[in-house]
Amino acid sequence: MSFLDKATVEGSKTYYKVSEKARAYSFKDYGFTETKSGNFQLARPLDTNPQNKQSPKLKITVAKDLKTLKMSITTANGLKALNIFNGDQHAEKRDQFKYIMADMIHYGCFEEVK
């Protein structure tokens, strides 16, 4: 998957882009880790119970230039992409995804785009 100006997860109609106000320390403060290539990466489970190791994960990578990103929701082991936006069995995961993204928008990391 390549870096894009705006990105979304599979099944979602909402796109996100890196905020123009975002700085490297914003991502580090929020929990992103810096990769060897200088990109910023976040892998966060979409479960309110931190003990659940089988929860899908939200994975976001922001390029080191802070202009492009890629994002996906994967299985717990990170090998397969998931669509949590179809069916009612993932309602809690959808709510958690929306909460995390709204928090990162509030924190100044991302902006919602149409």
Side-chain angles (χ1 to χ4, degrees):
M1 183 187 308
S2 63
F3 288 98
L4 304 167
D5 290 333
K6 63 179 185 175
T8 190
V9 295
E10 186 177 334
S12 176
K13 292 178 175 67
T14 306
Y15 283 81
Y16 302 93
K17 72 173 192 170
V18 178
S19 174
E20 294 179 14
K21 300 181 291 184
R23 300 291 178 254
Y25 62 82
S26 302
F27 292 106
K28 288 180 182 178
D29 287 350
Y30 199 82
F32 283 75
T33 56
E34 196 167 354
T35 63
K36 289 181 182 180
S37 58
N39 298 329
F40 297 96
Q41 189 171 48
L42 177 77
R44 178 156 299 166
L46 291 178
D47 199 326
T48 54
N49 178 5
Q51 307 305 339
N52 185 358
K53 302 296 182 199
Q54 298 303 314
S55 176
K57 290 183 181 176
L58 170 62
K59 295 177 110 180
I60 302 174
T61 305
V62 176
K64 60 184 169 186
D65 64 0
L66 302 181
K67 297 194 185 313
T68 57
L69 74 153
K70 56 185 173 179
M71 59 192 309
S72 65
I73 295 177
T74 65
T75 56
N77 61 10
L79 298 178
K80 183 179 175 194
L82 286 178
N83 181 350
I84 62 169
F85 289 92
N86 60 354
D88 292 333
Q89 72 271 24
H90 297 296
E92 183 180 314
K93 309 295 188 251
R94 281 192 299 271
D95 292 343
Q96 186 67 8
F97 168 75
K98 290 174 184 175
Y99 172 79
I100 291 170
M101 294 310 297
D103 195 42
M104 285 194 275
I105 289 170
H106 176 73
Y107 205 75
C109 295
F110 298 111
E111 295 176 9
E112 197 173 301
V113 289
K114 303 295 177 203

